[in-house]
Amino acid sequence: MTAPDPSVAPAEPPPAPAARERELTAPVSLTLPSGRLNPAAVGFARSPLVDTSGIAGRRGWGRNKRWEYWNVITPTHIMALTISSLDYAAVHEVWVFERATERTWGHGATVVPARDVVLPGSLGGGIAIAHAKDLAITVTPAGDGEVWRLHAAIPGASFDITVTRPPQHDCLAVVVPWSARRFQYTVKDVALPATGTLTTDGVRHDVPSGSWAVLDHGRGRWPYDVAWNWGAASGTLADGRGIGLQVGGRWTDGTGSTENGVVVGGVLHKISTPVVWRYDLAAPLRPWRVTGGGLDATFTPFYDKRSKTDLGVFASRTDQCFGEWSGTFAWTGADQVRHEVGFAELVGFAEDVHNRW
């Protein structure tokens, strides 16, 4: 493989720094009173412990990036919503995919300057709302983030989904430090059961038990030009335990932090080293490979959701492929015993993104 941008992912990431991620176990503020990164917040957590209310207003204006992304995969459909504020613009999207026919319903909105968007200071701190022409989204938390209601409507499609966090279910919350002025807090929550309804062209579809949701919650101050990989999947192991994969790369290189982990039976097993992504962006529907930290996974895509925006100062190129993950994951438990699970046909996604924002 050659270097990634614009077409091919790297065969190997840059040399990894020594693993130094610490686990956060108590609430902490992402920012200091000065607006700079709070060093005490750098690490990972199994629940959303980080207060991100300092990411807003005029401080760091233009670099503040706030968003909520939800993806829901059912046996018949895939749904996604995005609510975001980039300071100078609000960027939203609702997307629905019918798996049998590959028919799609979608609508995006870029609102300049940002308006008619509400995002809570911290995860679960209130309702997230986006309104634009032909688009309406609300994300409503309840029960201290144990339940989420997702409502979205665009011409031709709407959905009303309830996402329930199982008791004692770990997420992966990570603070990624580029510098004292540039940093990101991300919460990736995988393998969340979802139920509800979807309506397309007046036809109602149930979102049955066995459907899964993934959350990407982000608050931070970003560099202008950045590229990343992200992959996730949810499902059930042969023994009945739930499993969720969460892998990322490129944007965290050199920071000492990763957003890699596997949730087995509700317990997060953190991967604190970079994983290796192998794929060909010139042929994105060929199998992808992600390895490292005990994970050996193959992703076989069946659809590429490709998008490109160029508004001068703001530009984005995304290949988000949907497909099935199969492979193995091995880890050493607190009992110092090696454990391994095999998984197959976990429906999820893998993406390659390059933003100038």
Side-chain angles (χ1 to χ4, degrees), residues 73-146:
I73 296 178
T74 85
T76 59
H77 291 81
I78 300 173
M79 293 159 279
L81 66 81
T82 303
I83 303 175
S84 74
S85 173
L86 311 181
D87 278 349
Y88 49 83
V91 182
H92 316 304
E93 184 182 29
V94 176
W95 184 73
V96 177
F97 174 76
E98 189 171 69
R99 293 173 62 179
T101 65
E102 296 194 352
R103 186 180 177 191
T104 63
W105 295 258
H107 184 67
T110 300
V111 183
V112 182
R115 61 186 183 278
D116 298 326
V117 57
V118 176
L119 286 162
S122 296
L123 181 61
I127 300 174
I129 303 171
H131 288 291
K133 181 177 172 54
D134 294 329
L135 178 146
I137 307 171
T138 61
V139 176
T140 308
D144 293 329
E146 301 306 306

Side-chain angles (χ1 to χ4, degrees), residues 45 71 83 104 122 132 138 175 190 259 268 306 336 351:
N71 181 275
I83 303 175
T104 63
S122 296
T138 61
V175 172
V190 295
E259 58 167 354
L268 170 68
R306 178 172 291 178
Q336 299 304 306
E351 69 181 25

